[in-house]
Amino acid sequence: MNKLQLKHRELKIISVIAASENISHAATVLGIAQANVSKYLADFESKVGLKVFDRTTRQLTLTPFGAALLPYINDMLDRNAQLNHFIADYKHEKRGRVTVYAPTGIIAYLSKQVIARIKDIGDISLSLKTSNLEPKAFYEGVEFPDDCDVLITYAHPKDESLVASFITKYAVTAFASQTYLEKHPLSRPEDLEHHSCILIDSMMIDDANIWRFNSAGSKEMRDYRVTGNYVCDNTLSALELARNHLGIVFAPNESVKNDLKAGTLVPCFSEQHEWWLDLVAIFRKREYQPWRVQYVLDEMLREIRNQLAQTQLLRPEQDSIIDN
């Protein structure tokens, strides 16, 4: 019996047709002529002597043989992709996917200020995904997603085998609109417990947030339980509510820089009450890291640190460029 010679392109075409259930759509995805897609499919079915799809005027559906075959095809395609990535990494070629997770504000910052400045990215596919912190992350450590290559966040990793590279410290404090403060004046963090605070979902504990401040002029920290009518999953939307006089927001100093200049938000306290947090990049140890991941990581950290240095934000007494 002659051994089947299966071509990678045939398998890829079958996988894409199965996903789209339409030859025309598959041709668009693959970037080849519809007639060629049909020919590849017909040649494959002729070669194996079995139909992979049942055809109707509107779509294709997998035959029982096709349904049983598809997992094998996708597995072979995945293995081939892994092999290509391994070879590319070994040769230091810029190919393959790199997945970066970060909270909403950091993703926005990376997209606006960092990614475009990475030189010679080659054929690397960079995937940016949002990962806002769970409430327990500040105390127990942050989870590292299964498909993640680099996680940039505000908490250290729960898995101690991962590397956490310190980027900078940044200050967080309380802000509100002048209109809100005129109606609801306050002078110290203790007063927050009697005000409408705009809560962050990742900091929720029993329908409240715990906001932490140092005593002005000292390093002593104290926690304050605050409540309010609004809960947001990121600081960007919380800031927008605060601009509309709906309460007090807990935000990084740098994220309100433009608001302070425009007067849309002002600090709640005349004295300096702040909470300093670490911003870290979390990733696997270098010996377990594909070269393409290390390349993107090094380039991102280089650019972030260059920007910090240029704006003299590496010292703890300065603000940070990173939004929450």
Side-chain angles (χ1 to χ4, degrees):
M1 181 177 178
N2 292 331
K3 186 177 180 180
L4 286 174
Q5 298 294 321
L6 302 179
K7 298 178 181 179
H8 177 268
R9 172 161 284 195
E10 291 174 335
L11 302 181
K12 180 67 175 178
I13 286 173
I14 290 171
S15 177
V16 174
I17 293 174
S20 60
E21 299 181 343
N22 183 287
I23 286 183
S24 177
H25 292 166
T28 300
V29 171
L30 293 162
I32 60 179
Q34 182 174 335
N36 289 340
V37 173
S38 298
K39 185 177 186 304
Y40 271 109
L41 175 57
D43 288 347
F44 180 86
E45 290 181 326
S46 176
K47 186 187 302 183
V48 301
L50 293 165
K51 290 179 63 178
V52 179
F53 295 97
D54 283 325
R55 295 160 174 79
T56 68
T57 55
R58 293 188 177 181
Q59 67 179 23
L60 304 180
T61 57
L62 288 165
T63 64
F65 166 69
L69 175 68
L70 187 61
Y72 290 97
I73 288 178
N74 288 336
D75 183 62
M76 289 181 68
L77 292 173
D78 287 342
R79 288 176 179 272
N80 186 69
Q82 291 171 16
L83 176 60
N84 288 333
H85 289 163
F86 167 76
I87 294 172
D89 284 331
Y90 200 85
K91 295 169 64 177
H92 285 194
E93 293 180 354
K94 295 170 184 173
R95 292 172 52 196
R97 179 182 295 270
V98 176
T99 303
V100 178
Y101 277 81
T104 306
I106 296 181
I107 286 291
Y109 163 72
L110 293 175
S111 302
K112 183 177 181 180
Q113 302 289 350
V114 176
I115 300 305
R117 292 178 171 86
I118 296 179
K119 306 297 183 183
D120 303 322
I121 198 169
D123 292 327
I124 292 174
S125 173
L126 189 55
S127 175
L128 300 178
K129 296 188 177 183
T130 300
S131 177
N132 292 316
L133 289 177
E134 295 293 327
K136 59 185 179 181
F138 285 110
Y139 311 100
E140 298 181 5
V142 65
E143 297 282 354
F144 195 78
D146 291 340
D147 65 335
C148 181
D149 292 310
V150 180
L151 172 61
I152 301 180
T153 189
Y154 315 112
H156 287 259
K158 189 173 184 179
D159 184 347
E160 295 181 357
S161 70
L162 296 168
V163 178
S165 178
F166 173 78
I167 298 174
T168 188
K169 283 185 176 291
Y170 67 99
V172 182
T173 191
F175 300 92
S177 70
Q178 188 65 50
T179 299
Y180 178 88
L181 292 178
E182 288 172 358
K183 294 181 178 178
H184 312 282
L186 72 162
S187 59
R188 55 185 182 169
E190 288 85 346
D191 298 335
L192 289 169
E193 298 176 359
H194 308 293
H195 283 262
S196 174
C197 296
I198 301 168
L199 308 181
I200 300 297
D201 186 57
S202 63
M203 301 175 70
M204 292 295 291
I205 299 177
D206 296 331
D207 299 323
N209 272 189
I210 304 298
W211 290 0
R212 180 171 293 176
F213 295 91
N214 70 317
S215 300
S218 78
K219 295 183 179 180
E220 180 184 353
M221 304 298 296
R222 181 177 170 184
D223 292 343
Y224 300 90
R225 184 180 185 276
V226 301
T227 59
N229 299 106
Y230 305 98
V231 181
C232 301
D233 68 357
N234 64 83
T235 302
L236 300 180
S237 54
L239 286 169
E240 197 60 44
L241 294 177
R243 293 179 189 116
N244 283 286
H245 325 301
L246 294 176
I248 298 169
V249 66
F250 195 50
N253 292 350
E254 180 65 19
S255 65
V256 300
K257 181 185 294 183
N258 293 334
D259 290 289
L260 295 176
K261 290 180 180 178
T264 51
L265 292 175
V266 297
C268 290
F269 313 119
S270 57
E271 295 183 301
Q272 192 174 37
H273 295 281
E274 296 172 321
W275 182 18
W276 284 98
L277 294 176
D278 289 348
L279 182 71
V280 296
I282 300 172
F283 47 90
R284 298 177 184 88
K285 292 181 179 179
R286 187 176 290 268
E287 57 265 34
Y288 306 119
Q289 194 82 273
W291 181 82
R292 65 185 183 277
V293 175
Q294 195 62 51
Y295 175 80
V296 170
L297 172 64
D298 289 345
E299 288 295 300
M300 285 198 305
L301 292 183
R302 178 190 58 76
E303 181 58 35
I304 291 171
R305 285 168 174 152
N306 281 346
Q307 292 183 26
L308 287 167
Q310 289 168 10
T311 53
Q312 297 182 340
L313 299 177
L314 286 175
R315 298 194 302 266
E317 66 268 25
Q318 300 293 330
D319 298 342
S320 167
I321 60 174
I322 306 296
D323 292 349
N324 193 5

